[in-house]
Coordinates of all heavy atoms in Angstrom, one line a residue:
Chain V
S58 N -7.2 -18.3 -45.7 CA -7.8 -19.6 -45.3 C -8.6 -20.2 -46.5 O -8.9 -21.4 -46.4 CB -8.7 -19.4 -44.1 OG -9.8 -18.5 -44.5
V59 N -8.9 -19.4 -47.5 CA -9.6 -20.0 -48.6 C -8.7 -20.5 -49.7 O -8.6 -21.7 -50.0 CB -10.6 -19.0 -49.2 CG1 -11.4 -19.6 -50.4 CG2 -11.6 -18.5 -48.2
L82 N -11.2 -21.0 -61.0 CA -10.1 -21.1 -60.2 C -8.8 -21.2 -61.0 O -8.7 -22.1 -61.9 CB -10.1 -22.3 -59.2 CG -11.1 -22.2 -58.0 CD1 -10.9 -23.4 -57.2 CD2 -10.9 -20.9 -57.3
R103 N -10.6 -16.4 -59.4 CA -10.0 -16.5 -58.2 C -8.8 -17.6 -58.3 O -8.6 -18.2 -59.4 CB -11.0 -16.9 -57.1 CG -12.0 -15.8 -56.9 CD -13.0 -16.0 -55.8 NE -13.7 -17.2 -56.1 CZ -14.2 -18.1 -55.2 NH1 -14.1 -17.8 -53.9 NH2 -14.9 -19.1 -55.6
H105 N -6.2 -20.8 -56.4 CA -6.0 -21.9 -55.5 C -4.5 -22.1 -55.4 O -3.9 -22.5 -56.4 CB -6.8 -23.1 -55.8 CG -6.7 -24.1 -54.7 ND1 -7.5 -24.1 -53.6 CD2 -5.9 -25.2 -54.6 CE1 -7.2 -25.1 -52.8 NE2 -6.2 -25.8 -53.3
R123 N -2.1 -28.9 -51.5 CA -3.5 -28.7 -51.1 C -4.5 -29.1 -52.2 O -5.2 -28.3 -52.8 CB -3.7 -27.2 -50.8 CG -2.8 -26.8 -49.7 CD -2.8 -25.3 -49.4 NE -4.1 -24.8 -48.9 CZ -4.9 -24.1 -49.5 NH1 -4.6 -23.7 -50.7 NH2 -6.1 -23.8 -49.0
I124 N -4.4 -30.4 -52.5 CA -5.2 -31.0 -53.6 C -6.6 -31.3 -53.1 O -7.6 -31.0 -53.8 CB -4.5 -32.2 -54.2 CG1 -3.3 -31.8 -54.9 CG2 -5.4 -32.9 -55.2 CD1 -2.4 -32.9 -55.5
E125 N -6.7 -31.9 -51.9 CA -8.0 -32.2 -51.3 C -8.9 -31.0 -51.2 O -10.1 -30.9 -51.5 CB -7.9 -32.9 -50.0 CG -7.6 -34.4 -50.0 CD -8.5 -35.2 -50.9 OE1 -9.8 -34.9 -50.9 OE2 -8.1 -36.0 -51.8
E126 N -8.1 -29.8 -50.7 CA -8.8 -28.6 -50.5 C -9.4 -28.1 -51.9 O -10.5 -27.5 -52.0 CB -7.8 -27.5 -50.0 CG -7.5 -27.7 -48.5 CD -6.3 -28.7 -48.3 OE1 -6.1 -29.5 -49.2 OE2 -5.6 -28.5 -47.3
L127 N -8.7 -28.3 -53.0 CA -9.1 -27.9 -54.3 C -10.4 -28.6 -54.7 O -11.3 -28.0 -55.1 CB -7.9 -28.2 -55.3 CG -8.3 -28.0 -56.8 CD1 -8.6 -26.5 -57.1 CD2 -7.2 -28.5 -57.6
F128 N -10.3 -29.9 -54.5 CA -11.5 -30.8 -54.8 C -12.7 -30.3 -54.0 O -13.9 -30.2 -54.6 CB -11.3 -32.2 -54.5 CG -10.2 -32.8 -55.4 CD1 -9.6 -34.1 -55.1 CD2 -9.8 -32.2 -56.6 CE1 -8.6 -34.6 -55.9 CE2 -8.8 -32.8 -57.3 CZ -8.2 -34.0 -57.0
K129 N -12.5 -30.0 -52.8 CA -13.6 -29.6 -51.9 C -14.1 -28.2 -52.4 O -15.4 -28.1 -52.5 CB -13.1 -29.4 -50.5 CG -14.2 -29.2 -49.4 CD -13.7 -29.5 -48.0 CE -14.8 -29.2 -47.0 NZ -15.6 -28.0 -47.1
R130 N -13.2 -27.4 -52.8 CA -13.7 -26.0 -53.3 C -14.4 -26.2 -54.6 O -15.5 -25.5 -54.8 CB -12.5 -25.1 -53.5 CG -11.9 -24.6 -52.2 CD -10.8 -23.6 -52.6 NE -11.3 -22.3 -53.0 CZ -10.6 -21.4 -53.5 NH1 -9.3 -21.5 -53.6 NH2 -11.1 -20.2 -53.9
I131 N -14.0 -27.1 -55.5 CA -14.7 -27.2 -56.8 C -16.2 -27.7 -56.5 O -17.1 -27.1 -57.2 CB -13.9 -28.3 -57.6 CG1 -12.6 -27.8 -58.0 CG2 -14.8 -28.7 -58.9 CD1 -11.7 -28.8 -58.7
T132 N -16.4 -28.6 -55.6 CA -17.7 -29.0 -55.3 C -18.5 -27.9 -54.5 O -19.6 -27.4 -55.0 CB -17.6 -30.2 -54.3 OG1 -16.8 -31.2 -54.9 CG2 -19.0 -30.8 -54.1
D133 N -18.0 -27.4 -53.5 CA -18.6 -26.4 -52.6 C -18.9 -25.1 -53.3 O -19.9 -24.4 -53.0 CB -17.9 -26.1 -51.3 CG -17.7 -27.4 -50.4 OD1 -18.3 -28.5 -50.8 OD2 -17.1 -27.3 -49.4
E134 N -18.0 -24.6 -54.1 CA -18.2 -23.3 -54.7 C -18.6 -23.3 -56.1 O -18.7 -22.3 -56.7 CB -16.8 -22.6 -54.6 CG -16.3 -22.5 -53.1 CD -14.8 -21.9 -53.0 OE1 -14.3 -21.4 -54.0 OE2 -14.2 -22.1 -51.9
G135 N -19.0 -24.5 -56.6 CA -19.6 -24.6 -57.9 C -18.7 -24.1 -59.0 O -19.0 -23.3 -59.9
I136 N -17.4 -24.5 -58.9 CA -16.4 -24.1 -59.9 C -16.7 -24.8 -61.3 O -17.0 -26.0 -61.3 CB -15.0 -24.5 -59.4 CG1 -14.7 -23.9 -58.1 CG2 -13.9 -24.1 -60.4 CD1 -14.8 -22.4 -58.0
V139 N -11.2 -24.8 -64.2 CA -9.9 -24.8 -63.5 C -8.8 -24.5 -64.5 O -8.6 -25.2 -65.5 CB -9.6 -26.1 -62.7 CG1 -8.2 -26.2 -62.3 CG2 -10.5 -26.2 -61.5
L156 N -3.0 -33.7 -61.8 CA -4.3 -33.0 -61.5 C -5.3 -33.1 -62.6 O -6.5 -33.4 -62.3 CB -4.0 -31.5 -61.3 CG -3.3 -31.1 -60.0 CD1 -3.0 -29.6 -60.0 CD2 -4.2 -31.5 -58.8
L159 N -7.0 -36.5 -62.2 CA -7.9 -36.5 -61.0 C -9.1 -35.7 -61.3 O -10.2 -35.9 -60.8 CB -7.2 -36.1 -59.8 CG -6.1 -37.0 -59.3 CD1 -5.7 -36.5 -57.9 CD2 -6.7 -38.4 -59.1
L160 N -9.0 -34.5 -62.0 CA -10.1 -33.6 -62.2 C -11.1 -34.1 -63.1 O -12.2 -33.6 -63.3 CB -9.6 -32.2 -62.7 CG -8.8 -31.4 -61.6 CD1 -8.1 -30.2 -62.2 CD2 -9.7 -31.0 -60.5
R162 N -12.9 -36.5 -62.7 CA -14.1 -37.0 -62.0 C -15.2 -35.9 -61.9 O -16.3 -36.3 -61.6 CB -13.6 -37.4 -60.5 CG -13.3 -36.2 -59.6 CD -13.2 -36.6 -58.2 NE -11.9 -37.2 -57.9 CZ -11.3 -37.3 -56.7 NH1 -12.0 -36.9 -55.7 NH2 -10.1 -37.9 -56.5
F163 N -14.8 -34.7 -62.1 CA -15.9 -33.6 -62.1 C -16.3 -33.5 -63.6 O -15.6 -32.8 -64.4 CB -15.3 -32.3 -61.6 CG -14.8 -32.4 -60.2 CD1 -13.4 -32.6 -59.9 CD2 -15.7 -32.3 -59.1 CE1 -12.9 -32.7 -58.6 CE2 -15.2 -32.4 -57.8 CZ -13.8 -32.6 -57.5
L166 N -16.7 -30.0 -65.4 CA -15.6 -29.1 -65.2 C -14.6 -28.9 -66.4 O -14.2 -30.0 -67.0 CB -14.7 -29.6 -64.0 CG -13.6 -28.6 -63.6 CD1 -14.2 -27.4 -62.9 CD2 -12.6 -29.3 -62.6

Side-chain angles (χ1 to χ4, degrees):
Chain V
S58 62
V59 180
L82 285 186
R103 295 182 300 149
H105 186 82
R123 299 177 67 251
I124 293 177
E125 280 307 318
E126 288 89 335
L127 173 64
F128 294 165
K129 190 163 183 312
R130 288 186 70 190
I131 292 171
T132 310
D133 294 357
E134 299 173 18
I136 303 302
V139 164
L156 285 177
L159 290 188
L160 288 172
R162 74 168 78 160
F163 300 97
L166 187 71

